[in-house]
Amino acid sequence: MPDTSTGSTGSTVDTARPSRRAVLAATAGLTAALSVPATASAAPHDDRRLRALVSRMTLEEKVGQLFVTRAYGHSATAPDQADVDANLQELGVRTAAELVERYRVGGIIYFTWAHNTRDPHQIADLSNGLQRVSLAQPRGLPLLIATDQEHGAVCRIGTPATLLPGAMALGAGGSRSDARALGRISGTELRAMGVNQDYSPDADVNVNPANPVIGVRSFGADPDAVAGLVAAEVAGYQSARVAATAKHFPGHGDTAVDSHYGFPVITHSRELWETLDAVPFRAAIQAGIDSIMTAHIQFPGLDGSGDPATLSHPIVTGILRGELGYDGVVITDSLGMQGVRTKYGDDRVPVLALKAGVDQLLNPPSIDVAWHAVLSAVQGGELTEARLDESILRVLRLKARLGLLDEPGAPYVSAAGVDRAVGTRAHREAADRIAERTTTLLVNEDDLLPLHRRASRRVLVVGADPASPTGTTGPPTGVLAGALTELGFTATALSTGTAPSAATISKAVAAAGDADAVVVATYNVTAGNSQRALVEQLVATGRPVVAVAVRNPYDVAQLPFVQACLATYCWTDVELRAAARVIAGRVAPRGKLPVPVQRADDPARVLYPVGHGLSYETYPAHES
């Protein structure tokens, strides 16, 4: 993953290419557009006061307000030396404070890899330090502080903050109430740490199983279902006074190319876009979404110029603003991604994005190059100062809606507030209950599940151990084994990886000889992947084998010989603990597939349709 990424997890993904037409056909009849009016999201504000703020800004300050960028370090003023070095190399400053002072940026984005997110109290201190520096400048304004806290596969702040199931898991649960609760819980904790803008929810309709960048970050393949969950999550976040961000407009759900590394082309017609990709964005706008993020994709059905959507005036101004009636903040995806850098240089991209109609320029590779490019474009007449004023006014409206401009104590947070809100028992219990409603049972031959503790007391847990999305949970085999042990089994973990060698497979097969049952965690299994051979050889031992697809539910198509298979849609602890409770029969599986799964031998045919999901009776609590 490039250091300028805001979306991809950088994990190994399935490179197979199941038929896109098959997925679209599988969701036929589910693509009626929501009957929602296209309304502007921005509520009325005292624009006279905000316009007065704009009128007092220098041109340089105006340019800075348009940028949201990274900065390395856990502290605004005293980062570690390695982060000082990284700041100097990439940003030309020593600290985040110097960055704010020099460029007067309107926002900062937090990343784990930039060492911004060690723990909740440190994050709160960093947020306060950044706000203090920004407000201390002449005509100083509070910052929008943002991060990618989607939950599931993309999550920048880990435990002890509450981690919740990701979007496709929520799609399997199908509960708008749960999506709203996720937004409220996550938003409450982010706000307590000084983060006031979240780049979530993902509003893409994932109809391509080979999509390497969206996948389980999407709620599913049914646009109406996705729309309802998007709107609910938006309501939850914004009830907590955190700006939600629907992404990636006009829709990134049908691509086999990752826009972090390439330039995807979406071949949907305008008519298909209306009934598929557009539906969740219309719902987000109707729900009052605070910001919408653009995608670095070509969409010839909407704009035949060959420009990425981020730089497309027909898409951003013509469709999003004009046809959909959206007048809230539009932010680019990271300007460091290859999808937006293929056609134009880094000095042209920010200027063209503003000409297209965006308001916030996210994370350019070089803030100095991008900042001076915009300044020069205004000084040379390519951009007008009035055009900048339009975007700055939208950004200020958002800051006002969030209570950052003049509420007592805004925009600072407190240590006591962190303790009251972040990782509370109530939030963690809510996350567990939500996860239980998402676990999906795809296969259960001869009622293998739930496992009985008397007949299958000794359980071997093997399989893939991908790195945690937050860097603070896992490994998956250890989490599953620990949870099963707590539930009364004697479980041991053996990590075999995403590409087990023949020797590793032999070791796992030998270990299965001492077990009563085997649980195997799979991660993006393909026809030629040795994970498939691992599961097949474990089944050949005669021991009961339960596969747990810890990322893509499509794994089940590659495992026709497995006796039981669950889908968790992510591999953070909350999903894995819920899967263990399902395996043990403490709770019944309730999830339903939010995407169709095609046959591995004939991708034109559906193996399991949207809505597939098995269940069973649970054990009495006193069973032993």
Side-chain angles (χ1 to χ4, degrees):
M1 178 178 69
D3 280 355
T4 51
S5 162
T6 65
S8 172
T9 64
S11 302
T12 304
V13 294
D14 188 345
T15 56
R17 294 289 182 267
S19 167
R20 179 172 56 85
R21 294 181 182 275
V23 184
L24 293 173
T27 57
L30 301 174
T31 56
L34 290 181
S35 300
V36 297
T39 58
S41 71
H45 290 285
D46 183 0
D47 273 4
R48 290 176 300 177
R49 174 172 172 263
L50 300 181
R51 289 180 191 277
L53 289 175
V54 176
S55 70
R56 291 195 290 269
M57 293 181 189
T58 66
L59 175 58
E60 290 79 5
E61 290 166 359
K62 290 180 179 181
V63 171
Q65 276 296 298
L66 304 175
F67 284 95
V68 179
T69 188
R70 68 197 180 281
Y72 289 85
H74 70 287
S75 164
T77 56
D80 295 338
Q81 185 59 48
D83 293 319
V84 171
D85 295 341
N87 284 326
L88 286 169
Q89 180 178 353
E90 295 184 21
L91 306 170
V93 296
R94 294 176 56 82
T95 68
E98 291 179 14
L99 176 76
V100 172
E101 291 169 351
R102 178 176 298 183
Y103 296 104
R104 300 299 298 275
V105 294
I108 294 288
I109 178 172
Y110 287 167
F111 289 111
T112 308
W113 49 258
H115 309 141
N116 304 138
T117 58
R118 288 182 178 176
D119 64 74
H121 283 285
Q122 168 268 317
I123 296 168
D125 289 342
L126 174 60
S127 299
N128 285 341
L130 289 166
Q131 297 289 10
R132 193 174 299 114
V133 170
S134 187
L135 289 169
Q137 305 308 305
R139 297 164 299 280
L141 291 168
L143 295 163
L144 286 171
I145 297 178
T147 197
D148 290 294
Q149 194 79 347
E150 295 178 17
H151 291 279
V154 175
C155 216
R156 309 303 187 199
I157 301 173
T159 55
T162 303
L163 299 179
L164 293 112
M168 193 170 283
L170 287 175
S175 168
R176 296 183 184 184
S177 176
D178 283 349
R180 189 176 301 109
L182 180 147
R184 177 184 54 78
I185 291 168
S186 182
T188 297
E189 297 197 5
L190 289 173
R191 182 78 187 213
M193 292 180 280
V195 178
N196 47 51
Q197 185 174 22
D198 190 17
Y199 299 142
S200 187
D202 190 303
D204 300 309
V205 182
N206 200 81
V207 293
N208 191 336
N211 194 324
V213 63
I214 305 302
V216 294
R217 298 169 60 197
S218 163
F219 289 107
D222 173 356
D224 291 341
V226 172
L229 294 168
V230 165
E233 190 170 307
V234 168
Y237 271 110
Q238 295 184 181
S239 71
R241 307 191 79 184
V242 167
T245 307
K247 59 189 185 185
H248 306 81
F249 189 83
H252 207 320
D254 188 6
T255 174
V257 175
D258 185 341
S259 52
H260 292 85
Y261 311 108
F263 191 13
V265 179
I266 306 293
T267 58
H268 294 182
S269 67
R270 172 64 190 248
E271 293 72 26
L272 181 57
W273 177 81
E274 288 279 2
T275 58
L276 187 74
D277 307 283
V279 178
F281 289 101
R282 289 185 184 275
I285 293 169
Q286 177 66 13
I289 186 76
D290 278 328
S291 53
I292 291 177
M293 180 180 286
T294 61
H296 304 326
I297 55 174
Q298 287 187 66
F299 212 123
L302 304 181
D303 178 4
S305 69
D307 285 344
T310 295
L311 310 183
S312 169
H313 190 274
I315 291 175
V316 177
T317 296
I319 296 175
L320 180 56
R321 296 232 189 264
E323 296 180 25
L324 301 189
Y326 179 68
D327 194 37
V329 170
V330 176
I331 183 169
T332 72
D333 206 340
S334 169
L335 297 184
M337 294 166 59
Q338 191 60 34
V340 80
R341 303 174 75 186
T342 299
K343 190 173 179 182
Y344 301 100
D346 292 342
D347 59 334
R348 293 299 298 155
V349 166
V351 175
L352 294 174
L354 291 170
K355 292 177 74 171
V358 306
D359 304 305
Q360 288 185 305
L361 302 165
L362 179 62
N363 210 25
S366 168
I367 181 65
D368 193 65
V369 168
W371 189 91
H372 279 101
V374 174
L375 181 66
S376 297
V378 178
Q379 292 171 335
E382 185 177 7
L383 287 170
T384 66
E385 197 164 346
R387 168 65 192 89
L388 268 58
D389 291 351
E390 292 175 12
S391 288
I392 294 165
L393 184 60
R394 292 191 187 100
V395 172
L396 289 180
R397 285 173 181 156
L398 176 53
K399 292 180 179 182
R401 275 202 302 279
L402 295 174
L404 300 177
L405 292 183
D406 53 12
E407 289 189 6
Y412 300 109
V413 294
S414 68
V418 170
D419 292 336
R420 284 194 301 269
V422 179
T424 65
R425 180 176 179 180
H427 287 177
R428 289 184 281 108
E429 289 178 347
D432 284 337
R433 301 292 84 76
I434 291 171
E436 289 175 354
R437 292 187 279 271
T438 68
T439 307
T440 308
L441 180 60
L442 301 174
V443 177
N444 194 24
E445 292 183 1
D446 300 324
D447 295 326
L448 174 62
L449 292 177
L451 293 181
H452 291 258
R453 292 193 295 277
R454 288 174 179 166
S456 303
R457 183 169 294 277
R458 296 172 301 169
V459 178
L460 173 67
V461 181
V462 303
D465 275 332
S468 168
T470 64
T472 61
T473 66
T477 56
V479 173
L480 283 168
L484 288 169
T485 296
E486 290 177 4
L487 292 166
F489 295 88
T490 302
T492 57
L494 175 62
S495 177
T496 51
T498 56
S501 65
T504 299
I505 293 174
S506 296
K507 183 178 179 181
V509 168
D514 295 325
D516 300 313
V518 179
V519 174
V520 55
T522 67
Y523 185 91
N524 296 355
V525 181
T526 62
N529 186 283
S530 56
Q531 290 182 72
R532 189 180 191 276
L534 168 68
V535 179
E536 189 170 22
Q537 291 188 41
L538 288 169
V539 170
T541 66
R543 297 292 190 269
V545 175
V546 180
V548 181
V550 299
R551 183 166 182 156
N552 289 328
Y554 312 115
D555 286 6
V556 67
Q558 299 289 345
L559 307 173
F561 36 74
V562 78
Q563 298 143 287
C565 184
L566 293 166
T568 66
Y569 310 97
C570 196
W571 59 102
T572 48
D573 291 7
V574 66
E575 290 101 333
L576 298 175
R577 290 195 307 265
R581 291 193 292 276
V582 169
I583 290 169
R586 291 299 180 91
V587 295
R590 294 171 57 181
K592 305 294 182 183
L593 274 176
V595 292
V597 174
Q598 282 71 49
R599 292 176 60 107
D601 58 351
D602 185 1
R605 296 173 60 192
V606 173
L607 178 64
Y608 298 115
V610 171
H612 172 76
L614 308 176
S615 193
Y616 48 70
E617 295 296 324
T618 59
Y619 290 162
H622 63 272
E623 194 271 347
S624 61

